[in-house]
Amino acid sequence: MKIFNPHENEIIKDVYKGLDIPSRRLFGKKALSLGAISMLSGCTLSNEDSIEKALMVMSRFNDRVQGWLFDPNKMAPTYSEGMITRPFPFNAFYSEAEIRPSPENFRLKISGMVQDAKDWTLAELNAMPQTSQITRHICVEGWSAIGKWGGVRFSDFLTRIGADTNASYVGFRCHDDYYTSIDMPTALHAQTLLTLTYADEVLPPKYGYPLKLRIPTKLGYKNPKYIQEIFITNVNPGGYWEDQGYNWFGGS
Ligand SMILES: Nc1nc2c(c(=O)[nH]1)N[C@H]1C(S)=C(S)[C@@H](COP(=O)(O)O)O[C@H]1N2
Ligand SMILES: [Mo]
């Protein structure tokens, strides 16, 4: 199992630096001795397996620290049209040739702690006030790219469905069986966008048609494409990569 460690990734290190997040202190592998990790995590570090378990506990601990550090008013950098990466990369847990078509008669499902759990059509989503932004997407696999995404500010959408914003998590289920979840402060961040377009065109299949959540304050794997269902919950829904050891908070 691969434990996500930002020390191993130069781009992420730079981003953490740029955002003034003391990742060096938070991600204890270098700053903390194995003894200290063992004490903090309550795991005996006798073999590789237990070391991985301990690092997993530390990653959970990091989720809390990162949650405290998250500044809802701090914006991710934005860029000019001329800085957009062309072509923008495709990435998923399968190859581009294996992209599955969106189900016909798409309806976005809403569930959990909301007042109005009615389904949404794309036309209804397009009728809401739209905004767009040019931001950098960062993938832990070691690449980053600048793109332009447009759609509905997610906080507007959450207000519209009467989401309980005192709940802890927003979860996402996707038509390719991907899933992920985010904390409520990130969901309400002004740059978090329920995305309907890429480069001013209807979101193409490779970038997540019909719906993607674009979160420029978080790493690529926290940006679900092909969204089918959004739910509000107090139980951490985890995620496809997060459940395999990637840090759950996954961002600034
Ligand atoms: N539904 C779905 N969403 C997903 C993924 C996926 O495999 N399936 N991969 C994630 C990862 S790791 C990255 S880097 C980005 C890639 O988005 P892009 O294809 O628009 O570059 O999508 C994220 N969201
Ligand atoms: Mo990624």
Side-chain angles (χ1 to χ4, degrees), residues 201-232:
E201 308 279 350
V202 173
L203 205 59
K206 59 178 175 175
Y207 303 140
Y209 181 86
L211 263 188
K212 157 183 172 122
L213 195 76
R214 175 66 192 135
I215 318 174
T217 55
K218 287 215 182 292
L219 296 166
Y221 62 87
K222 303 297 293 184
N223 291 237
K225 307 192 285 187
Y226 316 113
I227 297 171
Q228 294 290 296
E229 181 169 0
I230 298 178
F231 59 102
I232 313 294

Short mmCIF file of all heavy atoms in Angstrom, two decimals, residues 201-232:
data_model
loop_
_atom_site.label_atom_id
_atom_site.label_comp_id
_atom_site.label_asym_id
_atom_site.label_seq_id
_atom_site.Cartn_x
_atom_site.Cartn_y
_atom_site.Cartn_z
N GLU A 201 -16.72 25.08 -23.18
CA GLU A 201 -17.53 24.11 -23.91
C GLU A 201 -18.14 23.14 -22.90
O GLU A 201 -17.56 22.93 -21.83
CB GLU A 201 -16.66 23.28 -24.88
CG GLU A 201 -15.78 24.09 -25.81
CD GLU A 201 -16.54 24.61 -27.03
OE1 GLU A 201 -17.70 24.17 -27.21
OE2 GLU A 201 -15.98 25.46 -27.75
N VAL A 202 -19.26 22.52 -23.29
CA VAL A 202 -19.85 21.46 -22.45
C VAL A 202 -18.73 20.49 -22.05
O VAL A 202 -17.93 20.08 -22.89
CB VAL A 202 -20.96 20.70 -23.22
CG1 VAL A 202 -21.44 19.51 -22.42
CG2 VAL A 202 -22.11 21.65 -23.52
N LEU A 203 -18.68 20.14 -20.78
CA LEU A 203 -17.63 19.26 -20.25
C LEU A 203 -17.47 18.02 -21.15
O LEU A 203 -18.41 17.25 -21.30
CB LEU A 203 -18.06 18.83 -18.84
CG LEU A 203 -17.02 18.41 -17.82
CD1 LEU A 203 -16.02 19.52 -17.55
CD2 LEU A 203 -17.73 18.01 -16.54
N PRO A 204 -16.31 17.82 -21.77
CA PRO A 204 -16.15 16.63 -22.62
C PRO A 204 -16.07 15.36 -21.77
O PRO A 204 -15.72 15.43 -20.59
CB PRO A 204 -14.83 16.88 -23.34
CG PRO A 204 -14.25 18.13 -22.81
CD PRO A 204 -15.12 18.66 -21.71
N PRO A 205 -16.38 14.19 -22.38
CA PRO A 205 -16.36 12.93 -21.62
C PRO A 205 -15.06 12.73 -20.85
O PRO A 205 -15.08 12.29 -19.70
CB PRO A 205 -16.53 11.86 -22.70
CG PRO A 205 -17.30 12.55 -23.77
CD PRO A 205 -16.85 13.99 -23.76
N LYS A 206 -13.93 13.07 -21.45
CA LYS A 206 -12.68 12.76 -20.73
C LYS A 206 -12.48 13.62 -19.48
O LYS A 206 -11.80 13.20 -18.55
CB LYS A 206 -11.45 12.83 -21.65
CG LYS A 206 -11.19 14.12 -22.32
CD LYS A 206 -9.90 13.95 -23.13
CE LYS A 206 -9.61 15.19 -23.96
NZ LYS A 206 -8.32 15.06 -24.65
N TYR A 207 -13.10 14.78 -19.45
CA TYR A 207 -12.94 15.64 -18.27
C TYR A 207 -14.13 15.56 -17.31
O TYR A 207 -14.23 16.37 -16.40
CB TYR A 207 -12.68 17.09 -18.68
CG TYR A 207 -11.46 17.26 -19.57
CD1 TYR A 207 -11.48 18.15 -20.64
CD2 TYR A 207 -10.31 16.52 -19.35
CE1 TYR A 207 -10.37 18.30 -21.47
CE2 TYR A 207 -9.20 16.65 -20.18
CZ TYR A 207 -9.24 17.55 -21.23
OH TYR A 207 -8.15 17.68 -22.05
N GLY A 208 -15.02 14.58 -17.54
CA GLY A 208 -16.00 14.29 -16.50
C GLY A 208 -17.47 14.49 -16.82
O GLY A 208 -18.29 14.56 -15.89
N TYR A 209 -17.84 14.58 -18.13
CA TYR A 209 -19.26 14.76 -18.46
C TYR A 209 -20.12 13.73 -17.75
O TYR A 209 -19.74 12.57 -17.74
CB TYR A 209 -19.47 14.65 -19.98
CG TYR A 209 -20.91 14.87 -20.40
CD1 TYR A 209 -21.40 16.15 -20.62
CD2 TYR A 209 -21.78 13.78 -20.54
CE1 TYR A 209 -22.72 16.35 -20.99
CE2 TYR A 209 -23.11 13.98 -20.90
CZ TYR A 209 -23.56 15.25 -21.12
OH TYR A 209 -24.88 15.46 -21.46
N PRO A 210 -21.23 14.10 -17.19
CA PRO A 210 -21.87 15.42 -17.26
C PRO A 210 -21.45 16.42 -16.19
O PRO A 210 -21.65 17.61 -16.38
CB PRO A 210 -23.35 15.07 -17.08
CG PRO A 210 -23.36 13.83 -16.26
CD PRO A 210 -22.11 13.07 -16.60
N LEU A 211 -20.87 15.96 -15.09
CA LEU A 211 -20.63 16.88 -13.97
C LEU A 211 -19.35 16.53 -13.25
O LEU A 211 -19.07 15.35 -12.98
CB LEU A 211 -21.75 16.72 -12.92
CG LEU A 211 -22.93 17.66 -12.90
CD1 LEU A 211 -23.73 17.36 -11.65
CD2 LEU A 211 -22.52 19.13 -12.94
N LYS A 212 -18.62 17.58 -12.87
CA LYS A 212 -17.39 17.39 -12.10
C LYS A 212 -17.37 18.42 -10.98
O LYS A 212 -17.96 19.49 -11.12
CB LYS A 212 -16.21 17.59 -13.05
CG LYS A 212 -14.90 17.97 -12.38
CD LYS A 212 -13.81 18.22 -13.40
CE LYS A 212 -12.59 18.78 -12.69
NZ LYS A 212 -11.40 17.95 -12.89
N LEU A 213 -16.73 18.09 -9.88
CA LEU A 213 -16.52 19.12 -8.86
C LEU A 213 -15.07 19.58 -8.96
O LEU A 213 -14.14 18.78 -8.82
CB LEU A 213 -16.82 18.62 -7.45
CG LEU A 213 -16.95 19.81 -6.46
CD1 LEU A 213 -18.30 20.50 -6.64
CD2 LEU A 213 -16.77 19.37 -5.03
N ARG A 214 -14.90 20.86 -9.23
CA ARG A 214 -13.56 21.43 -9.35
C ARG A 214 -13.21 22.15 -8.04
O ARG A 214 -13.96 23.04 -7.61
CB ARG A 214 -13.54 22.40 -10.54
CG ARG A 214 -12.25 23.17 -10.70
CD ARG A 214 -11.06 22.28 -11.05
NE ARG A 214 -9.81 23.02 -10.91
CZ ARG A 214 -8.73 22.55 -10.31
NH1 ARG A 214 -8.70 21.33 -9.83
NH2 ARG A 214 -7.65 23.30 -10.21
N ILE A 215 -12.11 21.70 -7.41
CA ILE A 215 -11.70 22.27 -6.12
C ILE A 215 -10.23 22.67 -6.24
O ILE A 215 -9.34 21.84 -6.03
CB ILE A 215 -11.84 21.25 -4.97
CG1 ILE A 215 -13.13 20.46 -5.08
CG2 ILE A 215 -11.72 21.95 -3.62
CD1 ILE A 215 -13.24 19.34 -4.06
N PRO A 216 -9.94 23.93 -6.57
CA PRO A 216 -8.54 24.31 -6.78
C PRO A 216 -7.70 24.32 -5.51
O PRO A 216 -6.48 24.37 -5.58
CB PRO A 216 -8.62 25.71 -7.39
CG PRO A 216 -9.97 26.23 -7.04
CD PRO A 216 -10.86 25.04 -6.87
N THR A 217 -8.34 24.24 -4.33
CA THR A 217 -7.58 24.17 -3.07
C THR A 217 -7.23 22.73 -2.70
O THR A 217 -6.68 22.49 -1.64
CB THR A 217 -8.37 24.81 -1.92
OG1 THR A 217 -9.65 24.18 -1.84
CG2 THR A 217 -8.55 26.31 -2.12
N LYS A 218 -7.58 21.78 -3.58
CA LYS A 218 -7.29 20.38 -3.26
C LYS A 218 -6.60 19.67 -4.41
O LYS A 218 -6.65 20.11 -5.56
CB LYS A 218 -8.59 19.64 -2.92
CG LYS A 218 -9.15 20.04 -1.57
CD LYS A 218 -9.80 18.85 -0.90
CE LYS A 218 -10.41 19.21 0.43
NZ LYS A 218 -9.39 19.56 1.43
N LEU A 219 -5.94 18.55 -4.09
CA LEU A 219 -5.25 17.74 -5.08
C LEU A 219 -6.24 17.07 -6.03
O LEU A 219 -7.42 16.93 -5.72
CB LEU A 219 -4.39 16.69 -4.38
CG LEU A 219 -3.26 17.29 -3.52
CD1 LEU A 219 -2.67 16.24 -2.58
CD2 LEU A 219 -2.19 17.91 -4.42
N GLY A 220 -5.72 16.66 -7.21
CA GLY A 220 -6.54 16.10 -8.28
C GLY A 220 -7.53 15.03 -7.84
O GLY A 220 -8.70 15.06 -8.24
N TYR A 221 -7.10 14.09 -7.00
CA TYR A 221 -7.98 12.96 -6.66
C TYR A 221 -9.18 13.38 -5.83
O TYR A 221 -10.13 12.60 -5.68
CB TYR A 221 -7.19 11.82 -5.99
CG TYR A 221 -6.53 12.16 -4.66
CD1 TYR A 221 -7.24 12.04 -3.46
CD2 TYR A 221 -5.21 12.59 -4.61
CE1 TYR A 221 -6.63 12.35 -2.25
CE2 TYR A 221 -4.60 12.89 -3.40
CZ TYR A 221 -5.32 12.77 -2.22
OH TYR A 221 -4.72 13.06 -1.02
N LYS A 222 -9.18 14.62 -5.26
CA LYS A 222 -10.34 15.12 -4.52
C LYS A 222 -11.33 15.82 -5.45
O LYS A 222 -12.31 16.40 -4.97
CB LYS A 222 -9.92 16.10 -3.42
CG LYS A 222 -8.92 15.57 -2.40
CD LYS A 222 -9.41 14.40 -1.57
CE LYS A 222 -10.54 14.73 -0.63
NZ LYS A 222 -10.89 13.55 0.21
N ASN A 223 -11.10 15.81 -6.78
CA ASN A 223 -11.95 16.50 -7.77
C ASN A 223 -12.74 15.46 -8.57
O ASN A 223 -12.29 15.02 -9.63
CB ASN A 223 -11.09 17.33 -8.74
CG ASN A 223 -10.43 18.55 -8.09
OD1 ASN A 223 -10.63 19.67 -8.54
ND2 ASN A 223 -9.63 18.35 -7.05
N PRO A 224 -13.90 15.01 -8.07
CA PRO A 224 -14.61 13.92 -8.75
C PRO A 224 -15.18 14.33 -10.11
O PRO A 224 -15.77 15.39 -10.26
CB PRO A 224 -15.74 13.57 -7.78
CG PRO A 224 -15.97 14.83 -6.99
CD PRO A 224 -14.63 15.50 -6.89
N LYS A 225 -14.98 13.47 -11.12
CA LYS A 225 -15.60 13.62 -12.44
C LYS A 225 -16.80 12.66 -12.48
O LYS A 225 -16.97 11.82 -11.61
CB LYS A 225 -14.61 13.24 -13.55
CG LYS A 225 -13.28 13.99 -13.44
CD LYS A 225 -12.42 13.84 -14.69
CE LYS A 225 -11.75 12.50 -14.82
NZ LYS A 225 -10.80 12.45 -15.96
N TYR A 226 -17.64 12.77 -13.54
CA TYR A 226 -18.76 11.83 -13.76
C TYR A 226 -19.69 11.69 -12.55
O TYR A 226 -20.14 10.59 -12.21
CB TYR A 226 -18.24 10.44 -14.13
CG TYR A 226 -17.11 10.45 -15.14
CD1 TYR A 226 -15.82 10.05 -14.80
CD2 TYR A 226 -17.35 10.89 -16.44
CE1 TYR A 226 -14.78 10.08 -15.72
CE2 TYR A 226 -16.31 10.92 -17.37
CZ TYR A 226 -15.04 10.51 -17.00
OH TYR A 226 -14.03 10.55 -17.91
N ILE A 227 -19.96 12.81 -11.87
CA ILE A 227 -20.77 12.76 -10.64
C ILE A 227 -22.21 12.33 -10.93
O ILE A 227 -22.85 12.85 -11.84
CB ILE A 227 -20.78 14.13 -9.93
CG1 ILE A 227 -19.36 14.51 -9.49
CG2 ILE A 227 -21.72 14.11 -8.71
CD1 ILE A 227 -19.26 15.94 -8.97
N GLN A 228 -22.71 11.36 -10.17
CA GLN A 228 -24.09 10.89 -10.27
C GLN A 228 -24.90 11.27 -9.04
O GLN A 228 -26.11 11.45 -9.12
CB GLN A 228 -24.12 9.35 -10.39
CG GLN A 228 -23.53 8.81 -11.65
CD GLN A 228 -24.40 9.14 -12.85
OE1 GLN A 228 -25.52 8.68 -12.94
NE2 GLN A 228 -23.88 9.95 -13.76
N GLU A 229 -24.24 11.32 -7.90
CA GLU A 229 -24.96 11.56 -6.66
C GLU A 229 -24.10 12.36 -5.69
O GLU A 229 -22.89 12.13 -5.58
CB GLU A 229 -25.35 10.22 -6.00
CG GLU A 229 -26.13 10.42 -4.71
CD GLU A 229 -26.76 9.13 -4.19
OE1 GLU A 229 -26.59 8.07 -4.83
OE2 GLU A 229 -27.42 9.20 -3.14
N ILE A 230 -24.75 13.31 -5.02
CA ILE A 230 -24.09 14.12 -4.00
C ILE A 230 -24.85 13.91 -2.70
O ILE A 230 -26.09 13.97 -2.71
CB ILE A 230 -24.11 15.62 -4.39
CG1 ILE A 230 -23.32 15.82 -5.70
CG2 ILE A 230 -23.55 16.49 -3.27
CD1 ILE A 230 -23.32 17.26 -6.22
N PHE A 231 -24.15 13.62 -1.61
CA PHE A 231 -24.85 13.43 -0.34
C PHE A 231 -24.14 14.13 0.80
O PHE A 231 -22.93 14.30 0.79
CB PHE A 231 -25.08 11.93 -0.05
CG PHE A 231 -23.81 11.11 0.00
CD1 PHE A 231 -23.26 10.74 1.22
CD2 PHE A 231 -23.19 10.70 -1.16
CE1 PHE A 231 -22.10 9.96 1.27
CE2 PHE A 231 -22.02 9.93 -1.13
CZ PHE A 231 -21.48 9.57 0.09
N ILE A 232 -24.95 14.56 1.77
CA ILE A 232 -24.46 15.30 2.93
C ILE A 232 -24.54 14.36 4.13
O ILE A 232 -25.59 13.75 4.36
CB ILE A 232 -25.34 16.55 3.20
CG1 ILE A 232 -25.62 17.34 1.91
CG2 ILE A 232 -24.73 17.43 4.30
CD1 ILE A 232 -24.43 17.99 1.28
#
